[in-house]
Amino acid sequence: MGTVVEAANKGANGSILEKRKPTIVFVLGGPGSGKGTQCANIVEHYGYTHLSAGDLLRAEIKSGSENGTMIQNMIKEGKIVPSEVTIKLLQRAMEESGKDKFLIDGFPRNEENRAAFEKVTGMEPSFVLYFDCPEEEMERRLLSRNQGREDDNIETIRKRFKVFLESSLPVINYYDAKGKVRKIDAARPIEEVFASVKAIFEPKNEKAD
Ligand SMILES: Nc1ncnc2c1ncn2[C@@H]1O[C@H](COP(=O)(O)OP(=O)(O)O)[C@@H](O)[C@H]1O
Ligand SMILES: Nc1ccn([C@@H]2O[C@H](COP(=O)(O)OP(=O)(O)O)[C@@H](O)[C@H]2O)c(=O)n1
Ligand SMILES: [Mg+2]
């Protein structure tokens, strides 16, 4: 018995060292697919710590860091910030949290993000939650998100969709080939989407038929 996450985290030989590594779930999906919304639900029910790569990058801009202007320009253009910057922020947030179960939202967004994370941290996700949603629905959501984000305008949204298709979907396909993707139909109401999410995080009852 045990949860899907525990099973995945046990590793090939179930060694103590492997078990001590943090549990990581990557949360992917197009812009506006509902990653942040569902992560908040997962945190509430399953005790994960939510780390949004986009939120960390926006906080870095606000902090007045030397990279701030570069990050701001890239976000405005819907481009993906070099992984060394994003990975540093993620690592710092993981360390500072003192926790060991993380939802990493909006990362890895391209092959460079993915390969660098695995190389630098030596960690792989237990699985990848993929929120699948049609562009028309994501566009509607982004245009009414009202969080004052500089990239939630139609011009930048179109660029982000293109980057998602060209750079982020290949990462999802990479993990799919490893059997790690849990795909969810994200075009439904929030509660229905969360019901599907729950089915993934709930402990499996092996005796159920
Ligand atoms: N299932 C849903 N149905 C309708 N609106 C949603 C749904 N999930 C999220 N939203 C809304 O859509 C917008 C984008 O959601 P968000 O969680 O920020 O997505 P992401 O982090 O993937 O960009 C927000 O305003 C959010 O309230
Ligand atoms: N791994 C990441 C994540 C986000 N970003 C940047 O941050 C922007 C916003 O990311 P986000 O995850 O907050 O956006 P949503 O998908 O939540 O709408 C992206 O369009 C990128 O410009 C990045 O460069 N690298
Ligand atoms: Mg988000």
Side-chain angles (χ1 to χ4, degrees):
M1 291 251 262
T3 64
V4 176
V5 174
E6 281 160 359
N9 204 31
K10 228 173 172 178
N13 55 18
S15 77
I16 295 287
L17 255 187
E18 275 186 291
K19 280 190 207 163
R20 277 208 196 113
K21 277 189 182 173
T23 296
I24 288 176
V25 174
F26 286 151
V27 181
L28 301 176
S33 58
K35 301 181 293 297
T37 303
Q38 296 299 331
C39 282
N41 283 334
I42 298 166
V43 165
E44 205 179 301
H45 286 75
Y46 301 105
Y48 276 77
T49 299
H50 176 207
L51 299 179
S52 157
D55 286 352
L56 289 168
L57 290 167
R58 285 182 287 272
E60 189 69 359
I61 298 171
K62 283 215 185 98
S63 78
S65 122
E66 56 176 346
N67 284 322
T69 310
M70 178 275 286
I71 297 171
Q72 188 166 26
N73 290 336
M74 297 204 79
I75 289 181
K76 187 78 208 290
E77 288 303 310
K79 291 185 180 154
I80 297 166
V81 173
S83 58
E84 63 200 62
V85 173
T86 316
I87 289 170
K88 240 181 240 160
L89 295 174
L90 286 169
Q91 277 187 306
R92 192 167 72 198
M94 283 193 272
E95 278 156 23
E96 285 177 1
S97 75
K99 300 286 172 48
D100 64 358
K101 278 166 66 178
F102 301 99
L103 296 171
I104 302 194
D105 160 7
F107 183 97
R109 253 185 160 89
N110 63 8
E111 179 58 19
E112 191 228 359
N113 273 185
R114 183 198 67 71
F117 184 86
E118 287 183 7
K119 188 163 176 224
V120 171
T121 68
M123 294 190 265
E124 275 220 28
S126 299
F127 60 90
V128 175
L129 263 192
Y130 167 37
F131 292 109
D132 185 29
C133 195
E135 279 192 7
E136 310 83 73
E137 175 63 16
M138 294 196 287
E139 186 178 304
R140 258 195 301 277
R141 293 180 188 175
L142 292 174
L143 290 174
S144 54
R145 180 151 60 178
N146 286 329
Q147 287 178 355
R149 277 176 50 169
E150 267 196 290
D151 55 348
D152 281 348
N153 60 79
I154 192 62
E155 198 188 330
T156 310
I157 287 169
R158 297 233 158 97
K159 291 179 181 166
R160 290 157 72 198
F161 285 163
K162 190 162 186 280
V163 167
F164 176 72
L165 286 179
E166 288 176 358
S167 305
S168 308
L169 261 186
V171 173
I172 293 165
N173 292 335
Y174 169 89
Y175 286 118
D176 197 30
K178 296 183 133 197
K180 288 197 168 188
V181 172
R182 309 287 178 267
K183 177 168 153 178
I184 289 172
D185 172 6
R188 298 168 293 154
I190 292 174
E191 283 312 314
E192 282 183 33
V193 175
F194 188 53
S196 300
V197 169
K198 272 181 166 164
I200 291 165
F201 282 87
E202 291 290 339
K204 288 255 187 292
N205 182 352
E206 283 165 9
K207 283 187 182 152
D209 46 26

